[in-house]
């Protein structure tokens, strides 16, 4: 019992460390090998706590900086997790599409959003983006057009496991206006050509 009790206590403490309890401290009641092992165990726990604290601070600092930089992006971008919930989004995405952190894709009021995200997850290709149909929105009483692109976010190129989807809403209003202008020019030229041709055709018919 004198030998096994300290060893069992070390085994239980090791299991606590494995479960994430790094605040555990052992009482080194003797100066023998078991006592020195308990002291080494305590030093290991202290080092693990310091490492976890440093990693947590670095993660929080990086996350905070990423969120602030992300919000400053002029393009409408939102990141969804695997459940279809917005993790972070730019101010443009929130203002134009109502995409804000905590919002589910099926509650965003966009019928095209959920199927597009699912297609991106099914594709699971880190270098391929899934494009959706052009979306029409009225922003500040102006008609705008956006091209949604869903890009799966992968853990790594080799693992190929998606962790979420990045939705990029590209403003294609200018391109749409140029295409509309081209169609109008073609229609106008076609109409202007038809007018004299109709007169010539009538004259030929009379002849």
């Amino acid at each position: 019992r004198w030998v096994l009790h300290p060893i069992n206590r070390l085994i239980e403490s090791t299991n606590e460390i494995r479960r994430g309890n790094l605040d555990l401290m052992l009482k080194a009641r003797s100066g023998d090998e078991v006592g020195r092992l308990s002291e080494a165990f305590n030093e290991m726990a202290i080092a693990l706590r310091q490492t976890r604290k440093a990693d947590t601070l670095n993660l929080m600092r990086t996350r905070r900086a990423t969120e602030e930089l992300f919000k400053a992006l002029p393009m409408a971008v939102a990141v969804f997790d695997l459940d279809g919930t917005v993790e972070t989004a730019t101010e443009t995405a929130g203002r134009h599409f109502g995409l804000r952190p905590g919002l589910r894709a099926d509650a965003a009021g966009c019928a095209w959003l959920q199927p597009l995200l699912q297609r991106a997850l099914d594709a699971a290709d880190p270098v391929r983006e899934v494009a959706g149909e052009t979306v029409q929105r009225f922003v500040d009483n102006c008609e705008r057009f956006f091209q949604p692109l869903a890009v799966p976010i992968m853990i790594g190129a080799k693992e190929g496991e998606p962790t979420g989807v990045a939705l990029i809403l590209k403003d294609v209003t200018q391109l749409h206006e140029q295409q509309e202008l081209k169609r109008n020019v073609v229609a106008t030229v076609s109409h202007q050509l038809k007018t004299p041709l109709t007169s010539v055709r009538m004259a030929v018919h009379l002849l």
Side-chain angles (χ1 to χ4, degrees), residues 90-140:
T90 61
E91 294 183 0
T92 306
R95 186 170 60 254
H96 293 174
F97 294 89
L99 300 177
R100 292 180 174 84
L103 180 70
R104 291 186 57 85
D106 53 7
C110 303
W112 51 268
L113 181 56
Q114 186 71 27
L116 183 64
L117 297 179
Q118 190 60 48
R119 283 171 53 198
L121 290 176
D122 294 339
D125 191 340
V127 297
R128 193 175 104 187
E129 57 189 25
V130 179
E133 299 292 335
T134 303
V135 179
Q136 179 189 28
R137 304 289 288 189
F138 286 92
V139 180
D140 298 331

Side-chain angles (χ1 to χ4, degrees), residues 1-11 26 30 34-35 38:
R1 185 180 304 173
W2 175 75
V3 175
L4 293 179
H5 182 69
I7 295 178
N8 289 331
R9 191 174 65 228
L10 283 172
I11 294 175
L26 294 178
S30 61
V34 176
S38 298

Side-chain angles (χ1 to χ4, degrees), residues 179-200:
Q179 292 177 349
E180 187 68 23
L181 179 61
K182 185 172 76 171
R183 284 194 294 266
N184 291 336
V185 169
V186 172
T188 301
V189 172
S190 177
H191 176 72
Q192 294 299 326
L193 285 176
K194 285 181 179 178
T195 301
L197 289 177
T198 303
S199 301
V200 172

Side-chain angles (χ1 to χ4, degrees), residues 33-81:
E33 289 80 2
V34 176
R36 291 196 295 272
L37 183 60
S38 298
E39 293 177 355
F41 186 91
N42 292 334
E43 293 176 359
M44 179 194 68
I46 293 173
L48 288 175
R49 283 199 298 270
Q50 293 175 348
T51 302
R52 183 175 67 176
K53 183 178 180 180
D55 291 342
T56 302
L57 291 176
N58 290 334
L59 181 61
M60 291 176 61
R61 183 169 56 251
T62 303
R63 185 182 181 89
R64 181 67 177 175
T66 302
E67 288 178 353
E68 292 301 323
L69 291 173
F70 197 77
K71 291 179 181 179
L73 291 176
M75 186 179 294
V77 182
V79 177
F80 293 81
D81 60 14

